[in-house]
Structures are given as C-alpha cells and as structure tokens.
Amino acid sequence: MFSLEEVKDSLEIAGQSHVLQFWPELGEEERSAFLRELAQLDMEGLRGRCEAAAGAAASESRGLSGNIDPVPPEFIGSVKKSDKNNILQWENEGFVQISNKRVGVLLLAGGQGTRLGVQYPKGMYDVGLPSGKTLYQIQAERIHKIQELADIKHGSKCTIPWYIMTSEFTLAPTEKFFEDNNYFGLEPSNVIMFEQRMIPAVTFDGKVILQGKGKIALAPDGNGGLYQALVDNNILVDMKKRGVEYLYVYCVDNILVKMADPVFIGFCVTKGADCGAKVVEKMHPAEAVGVVCRVQGIPQVVEYSEMQQEMAELRGPGGELIYNAGNICIHFFTRTFLQDVAEKFEGQLKQHVAIKKVPFVDARGSQVKPTKPNGIKMEKFVFDVFPFSRNFVVFEVEREDEFSPLKNSDEAAIDSPTSARNSLLAQHCRWATSAGATLLDVHGNSIPPTASVLARDHPPAQCEISPLVSYFGEGLEKLLKRQKLTTPFILDKKKAEDLQPQ
C-alpha cells in the first residue's frame, strides 16, 4: 500500500490534491481505510481520465447521420425467418459444444436495483411469480436444465461454468445469497464470482467528488468493464483451464433470457463468428434501445439518443423499420477474441458519459444530496468491442420469447416487475396450451387458447413452469396434453413426476 506522502504526490500530479482536504479530521481507522481506497486507484491515469470525462461531457455527441447501414442479411440469422432445417442444425451444433464442455455463461451483475427501489442486487429480486423465485434462481435452474438436455442428447456429463461479474456494491450480498440458497443446486466451484473495477465520479471541471470526508464517490466502470475484469481476476485463464472456448454473455435483468442458448451458440459457431449479438425487432422508432448496425462499414451499436430522428424513422418497402435490430445485451464471444480484446484493444474502448446526481461533502464537510445533476460518471459498454470483431454476426429472436427487462419500479409503465412477471407467465401459458392443456380461470371456466396466447400485458391465467421441467417449452405434451389447469398453476419437478404417464 502507498504511504501518505506517495498518495499526496500522486494526487498533486493528477491535479486532485483536494481529495485529502479533510485528512486532519479523520480517525486512524478512517485514514487507513481511505488510504486503502486511494491505493486501488490508477493514479498514473487519474488525471487523463478526469480531464477526458470533463471534455467528453462538454462535447457529447448529439446525433449520428450518414455512413450508417443495417447489418447485411448474409450476417443475420433469425428464429422466424431462417430455414427451419438450418435452425435445427444450429441447435444441434450448440448442444455438441455444450456437451463437450466448451461453453460458459457470463452474467453482468454489477449494478444495484436502485431504480427498482431496492438497495440489493437485481438478481435477488422477486417479481411476484406464484413460486416466489428470484431472477438468480430462474437463471440457475435454466443452467441445470440445459446441461441435462445436452447430457441426454449426447450421453455426456457436461458442466456449464457460470461466471458472475459483480461490483463493490453487489459482490458480498450476491455471495451470501448463493451460499444461503446452496447455489441453487449447482456445484459451487462452477459458479465463479469476480469484481469489476470502480472509478471515481468527477465534477464538470474534472475534479474527483468526495462522497464523505474520507471516501471518494466511486461507481462501477460500466458493463464494458468486463474486459479489464477478465484480466484482473484471471477469468480467461480459468476458461482456458476448463476448455471453455465460447462465452454466452447476458445482463441480469432479462427474465426471459435463454441461458447458453444452443441455437444462438450453434449459429455463431457454424458461421465462424468471433462475436455475435442477439437482437429483437424495434417496436417503434423512438424505442429506447440501441440499434446494431454498421458505421462506415464497421459493426457497432448506435444508441437511440445518437441516431437522428429522420434516420430512425426510415422504413423499407414492407413498412418495416430499416434500423430495427434492437440490442438486448445478449452476446457471443470466442475466448480467443476476448483474449485479443484484453491484450490489444481494451485501452481503445470508448468512454461513455453519464451525467448524474452524486451525493458529496461540501467545503465545510457537510453532506449534500444534490437536486440536479452535478457530476460525471464514465462507463464503458460491453458492446463497444464489436468494431474489433473479424467476423461479426447478428441473430434475431422474438421479443415475447426472449426479452423482458426489469429496470423500473411498478410506478413505470414498462420494464417493471409487473411487465416482467406477465411476460414469463404469458410465455408459460403459450407453452401449456401448445402442449394441449386447457387453462381455467379462478371460477373453473375454460380460457380460450388464443386469449392466453395474446393477452401478453395481462395474462388471464397464472401458469408457471419450472425451468427444471422445461427449458423452452420442450417435453410438456406428455405431461399436459388434455390436462385442465386451474390458475394459479405451478408445474414444478414434483408435479411433473406425478403427471408422468405410467
């Protein structure tokens, strides 16, 4: 650890001497903790980062136009438009790779549930399903099931390691939650948690913000901090030791995520891709999702705020949006590509500006909660590596089957616990009726299958199917055909065993 004098010198060189202004008022323990925190900062790069943050905030781009094109069709696969035989071949290839232990999944879970109104990690959130399952449990059970399906298909005994990137805010509660729940039946050695870096928030003139007299205002460096964290925590080394060649990366808040989706993995492997992105068709031009496209021939995500309105509204001959490939933060990477990023490109990743209200201490040492934005948080995005790909592909999926993010509290109209819960229940209603079941309301009246399938916003029946029973609707016909299911209906493993034909 650095000495006080070394820290002072480094801060002075960085133009950040004010950080120690309250040092005389700190006790011994506070001083030790503060020195430990300061020692973890990249002092050499601190000045450059702070100046870059201030400069970026002052000159933030307001829109892109020209030299933007959709991804060419030869680099796109689709669950609804591609040939069904091709989709089956991609799925088979994906299962081959899973059964050979060449696939890992990586969860981006560094953020707290602040917008949800909670102070714990989003993965611990219960959206109100009949089973009471959290996002973490749902995802863990999907890993169980896809391993089981691969083993049945290929007579293997496979493992899909689950890498979980946390932050200073989320690591300890996530570790405790998994321990308290016995890792949801997964082998603890195959659940690898690691931390991303934290970086200081700065004022509009590039000064590090003090959250307390002996505490810097720190924030995770965005989900694009993944690439540095892979190196810091020897995750790429671990992947190589395990024989993992392909990584399926996703965000914690998507309740419909298909863990280690064999179709997507198989598509990317078959195409020889080193990097791939899942997308959904945008609902309307102003939808707040980034668009996967090409800028000057190079693949990247253009944020909705960066694309000019007239370009966002362009439509093709069939009325479809030209720029309609909505990014849903589900990506495929080869391990060798990630190694290349870590060794050659990490320093070239774009820094994005987030203008925030950052609590601070004023010159008198008093705590202040600002009422308007007063600081800059710089972050990197996971998709900013797309331009470095040698063979980038896109895979389009159905929104109602694979994308329902949990971002807001129920005060919001979209992306809330209610919308996430309803998306999952509606999907399971579709699975049940497709398997030949009849859904009944609370009064025992039968609900027409079309109503169950189409009423996505307000599912008429509460039908929840455990991922341990079915990964994506498969295997249900033998259990549910001609069954009458009274709401709320939970199909867990025990009930599935009871329904097995004798």
Side-chain angles (χ1 to χ4, degrees), residues 199-329:
I199 56 175
V202 301
T203 61
F204 296 125
D205 57 356
K207 297 297 183 184
V208 168
I209 295 174
L210 282 174
Q211 178 182 309
K213 291 181 179 181
K215 177 72 176 169
I216 285 176
L218 293 169
D221 55 355
N223 57 28
L226 166 67
Y227 307 106
Q228 184 64 55
L230 291 176
V231 176
D232 291 345
N233 298 278
N234 294 315
I235 299 302
L236 293 172
V237 174
D238 185 85
M239 287 174 62
K240 189 172 184 179
K241 282 182 183 175
R242 293 171 183 264
V244 171
E245 296 296 334
Y246 308 114
L247 200 59
Y248 182 93
V249 177
Y250 70 101
C251 279
V252 68
D253 59 9
N254 181 5
I255 198 169
L256 297 181
V257 62
K258 284 179 73 178
M259 303 289 286
D261 176 14
V263 181
F264 179 47
I265 291 166
F267 167 73
C268 293
V269 171
T270 301
K271 295 293 183 182
D274 55 5
C275 178
K278 271 192 184 186
V279 299
V280 296
E281 188 174 347
K282 284 187 70 172
M283 291 188 293
H284 52 80
E287 185 183 5
V289 294
V291 174
V292 181
C293 54
R294 285 188 172 189
V295 179
Q296 296 180 331
I298 297 171
Q300 68 180 68
V301 172
V302 175
E303 285 296 291
Y304 64 93
S305 58
E306 296 176 324
M307 186 172 282
Q308 293 186 353
Q309 184 178 346
E310 58 270 26
M311 180 167 283
E313 292 176 350
L314 286 175
R315 295 186 180 271
E320 74 285 356
L321 291 171
I322 297 292
Y323 299 98
N324 69 349
N327 177 46
I328 60 173
C329 200

Side-chain angles (χ1 to χ4, degrees), residues 97 102-108 163 165 194 223-228 230 235-236 239-240 243-251 260-261 264-269 272-278 292 299-301 327-342 345 349 381-394:
Q97 300 302 333
R102 292 164 65 86
V103 174
V105 293
L106 191 145
L107 165 59
L108 304 170
Y163 299 98
M165 185 176 80
F194 61 102
N223 57 28
L226 166 67
Y227 307 106
Q228 184 64 55
L230 291 176
I235 299 302
L236 293 172
M239 287 174 62
K240 189 172 184 179
V244 171
E245 296 296 334
Y246 308 114
L247 200 59
Y248 182 93
V249 177
Y250 70 101
C251 279
D261 176 14
F264 179 47
I265 291 166
F267 167 73
C268 293
V269 171
D274 55 5
C275 178
K278 271 192 184 186
V292 181
Q300 68 180 68
V301 172
N327 177 46
I328 60 173
C329 200
I330 297 176
H331 307 310
F332 166 94
F333 300 116
T334 64
R335 182 179 56 78
T336 51
F337 175 71
L338 292 172
Q339 195 74 50
D340 278 350
V341 169
F345 305 124
L349 292 183
F381 294 156
V382 67
F383 54 70
D384 284 330
V385 297
F386 291 179
F388 307 120
S389 170
R390 295 185 182 90
N391 189 6
F392 177 78
V393 296
V394 169

Side-chain angles (χ1 to χ4, degrees), residues 396-450:
E396 184 186 36
V397 297
E398 296 274 25
R399 180 187 297 263
E400 65 181 11
D401 282 329
E402 298 200 39
F403 184 55
S404 183
L406 174 64
K407 297 187 180 297
N408 308 309
S409 70
D410 265 330
E411 294 176 4
I414 60 170
D415 300 345
S416 66
T418 295
S419 65
R421 178 177 67 250
N422 286 353
S423 294
L424 188 72
L425 295 176
Q427 181 188 58
H428 292 186
C429 284
R430 294 194 297 274
W431 292 356
T433 54
S434 294
T438 300
L439 298 172
L440 305 177
D441 64 20
V442 288
H443 307 294
N445 301 315
S446 125
I447 304 166
T450 49

Side-chain angles (χ1 to χ4, degrees), residues 2-59:
F2 295 121
S3 69
L4 176 60
E5 291 307 314
E6 289 173 316
V7 169
K8 276 184 179 178
D9 290 345
S10 297
L11 288 171
E12 188 171 343
I13 292 168
Q16 306 291 336
S17 298
H18 68 284
V19 166
L20 293 174
Q21 62 185 299
F22 298 108
W23 183 263
E25 301 178 34
L26 302 179
E28 282 305 311
E29 286 188 14
E30 292 171 312
R31 288 180 175 185
S32 296
F34 198 21
L35 272 182
R36 283 195 300 273
E37 181 176 89
L38 292 170
Q40 291 174 16
L41 297 180
D42 173 15
M43 288 295 188
E44 288 185 13
L46 185 58
R47 185 183 195 111
R49 273 203 312 276
C50 292
E51 290 174 352
S59 61

Side-chain angles (χ1 to χ4, degrees), residues 446-500:
S446 125
I447 304 166
T450 49
S452 304
V453 170
L454 298 177
R456 203 165 44 140
D457 294 334
H458 302 283
Q462 290 217 338
C463 174
E464 183 183 354
I465 298 170
S466 168
L468 298 175
V469 175
S470 184
Y471 171 77
F472 199 63
E474 80 292 330
L476 295 176
E477 189 170 342
K478 63 183 179 183
L479 302 176
L480 300 181
K481 193 172 185 178
R482 291 189 289 274
Q483 294 285 341
K484 295 183 185 296
L485 310 180
T486 302
T487 187
F489 176 78
I490 302 175
L491 182 58
D492 55 20
K493 280 206 82 169
K494 184 177 186 311
K495 191 176 285 287
E497 288 167 3
D498 293 341
L499 291 171
Q500 282 282 0

